[in-house]
Amino acid sequence: MNRFFQLSFTVLLLWLISVTGCATIPKDALTLSPETLAQRQIQTRKYQTKDEGKILAACAGLLQDMGFNLDESETKLGVITSSKTRTAVNIGQQAAAVAVVLFGGVYMPTDKEQRMRASVVTRPIGERGEYIAVRVTFQRIVWNTQGQVTTSESLTDPKIYQEFFDKLSKAIFLEAQEI
Amino acid sequence: MKNKAGLILIVISLFIVGCATTQERLLDSDSSQVQLRSIQTRAFDTTDKEKTLRTIISTLQDLGFVIDKADATLGIVSATKLEHYALRITVTVRPRGETQLLVRANAQYNVTPVTDPEPYQQFFTSLEKAMFLTAHQAD
């Protein structure tokens, strides 16, 4: 019996620690790491031009092509932010939820909609500012049928970024170069 | 009967207390404002506001943030990081005297304000590297 109490006390303590852990910011949230620098490479290309305005305008057009609505822009700092809301209904997940109900289980909420955000930042680089670097970042939040957030994440698949820059290169008739 | 009335009274009083405490979050005046300001602020030896803002933006991107908005005239940048949590940060830049800029950051982690010195120190360490300048304690 003593053992049992000891065990439950430990479990309780661990649970308490994990709960309080959730309330504070993770240690690595604001530190640079090799991974963050790898991300920078994937998310950035440079174009040989001095015309930052032209690049920004092309990015705005491209975001529109991808169905994003522009939220904010600041030409002086080379920033455009945009977002879109789309369905997040997943056939597999729905089928699983239906199956659970059929077998006498309780109703499981499924993913319903997602808000996706894209933000583009340009800046002149090179010794005489002969290049414009373009960095795009994507993230999304997914809500389920009960309005709860089920996912909030950065989108890091290199394929997304490759496709974005392929399209951007076509739009501005310039070859994208890795940084 | 008397029991029931007592229960209702307790529930109502809980509601009232609950309302008062959640509204207090608007001004968040429980923490020492002066201390918080010094934790959140550093001075840099430069007067180039635009370049500083651009460096802040790229540092935030390096740290995994997506930029929400930026304003060169006001000298503000806001950004959000989603990594199974939501970390929102606002950074402001304003001149201090003739030779320095003051950079101030404030962050919220999910629904709590970040008041620890450590995360801010980490942010300014990252920023220092990108600025090629030392961050001075502002007070």
Side-chain angles (χ1 to χ4, degrees):
Chain A
M1 208 58 193
N2 204 9
R3 268 266 217 7
F4 173 74
F5 274 118
Q6 234 171 22
L7 196 70
S8 48
F9 180 74
T10 317
V11 169
L12 191 73
L13 202 69
L14 283 177
W15 177 75
L16 270 177
I17 288 170
S18 71
V19 166
T20 46
C22 282
T24 62
I25 176 169
K27 284 248 173 312
D28 60 345
L30 289 167
T31 52
L32 296 172
S33 66
E35 292 89 72
T36 60
L37 299 179
Q39 279 300 316
R40 180 205 285 173
Q41 293 239 306
I42 292 168
Q43 296 169 344
T44 313
R45 294 290 184 282
K46 62 179 184 181
Y47 294 91
Q48 194 168 14
T49 173
K50 288 191 174 181
D51 194 347
E52 191 178 10
K54 181 182 134 186
I55 302 270
L56 267 180
C59 289
L62 180 52
L63 288 170
Q64 282 186 299
D65 288 345
M66 296 161 67
F68 283 95
N69 292 106
L70 305 190
D71 296 327
E72 298 275 341
S73 63
E74 174 59 290
T75 321
K76 273 194 236 169
L77 299 172
V79 173
I80 299 177
T81 65
S82 62
S83 61
K84 62 180 176 185
T85 309
R86 292 291 183 268
T87 175
V89 173
N90 178 330
I91 304 296
Q93 200 184 37
Q94 294 235 309
V98 170
V100 167
V101 172
L102 282 180
F103 286 103
V106 286
Y107 168 71
M108 283 195 314
T110 53
D111 285 349
K112 185 180 170 215
E113 59 179 43
Q114 54 182 334
R115 187 173 157 81
M116 315 182 93
R117 298 207 325 120
S119 115
V120 173
V121 175
T122 57
R123 77 194 151 93
I125 56 166
E127 262 167 37
R128 295 176 305 282
E130 66 271 38
Y131 291 99
I132 300 293
V134 180
R135 179 165 186 177
V136 62
T137 43
F138 297 98
Q139 62 185 195
R140 67 167 186 161
I141 301 180
V142 182
W143 287 272
N144 66 14
T145 43
Q146 298 193 332
Q148 298 153 327
V149 172
T150 55
T151 310
S152 64
E153 61 185 4
S154 306
L155 301 174
T156 52
D157 184 356
K159 268 187 262 168
I160 305 171
Y161 296 92
Q162 188 59 47
E163 190 181 334
F164 180 88
F165 287 114
D166 286 348
K167 284 183 174 165
L168 183 60
S169 303
K170 277 185 200 136
I172 55 181
F173 301 112
L174 282 172
E175 200 70 30
Q177 300 173 37
E178 303 244 336
I179 53 154
Chain B
M1 199 60 198
K2 210 174 168 189
N3 249 343
K4 223 176 199 173
L7 198 70
I8 289 169
L9 200 69
I10 288 173
V11 169
I12 288 175
S13 60
L14 273 178
F15 262 107
I16 293 170
V17 174
C19 283
T21 47
T22 51
Q23 273 192 16
E24 267 166 25
R25 307 310 304 177
L26 179 63
L27 298 181
D28 261 349
S29 23
D30 51 347
S31 52
S32 156
Q33 314 236 324
V34 180
Q35 197 195 353
L36 198 59
R37 195 181 302 157
S38 94
I39 289 170
Q40 295 176 340
T41 312
R42 296 290 185 279
F44 288 90
D45 295 324
T46 174
T47 52
D48 194 339
K49 194 167 156 187
E50 192 183 309
K51 192 181 165 199
T52 305
L53 282 166
R54 282 181 183 267
T55 311
I56 290 166
I57 290 170
S58 62
T59 305
L60 288 172
Q61 286 190 308
D62 281 345
L63 293 170
F65 285 85
V66 170
I67 307 299
D68 301 327
K69 60 171 66 191
D71 188 315
T73 317
L74 292 178
I76 60 166
V77 179
S78 285
T80 305
K81 180 174 184 174
L82 300 179
E83 211 66 60
H84 310 291
Y85 55 81
L87 179 59
R88 196 166 144 77
I89 193 166
T90 296
V91 187
T92 59
V93 176
R94 61 195 172 89
R96 183 208 213 192
E98 299 288 304
T99 59
Q100 282 189 320
L101 287 176
L102 274 185
V103 177
R104 177 171 185 178
N106 72 303
Q108 66 173 34
Y109 175 73
N110 292 334
V111 293
T112 42
V114 178
T115 50
D116 274 359
E118 182 71 25
Y120 293 106
Q121 183 53 48
Q122 287 171 344
F123 170 70
F124 286 114
T125 306
S126 309
L127 185 59
E128 267 181 331
K129 283 180 201 156
M131 296 271 287
F132 299 113
L133 287 172
T134 314
H136 304 292
Q137 204 68 41
D139 45 350

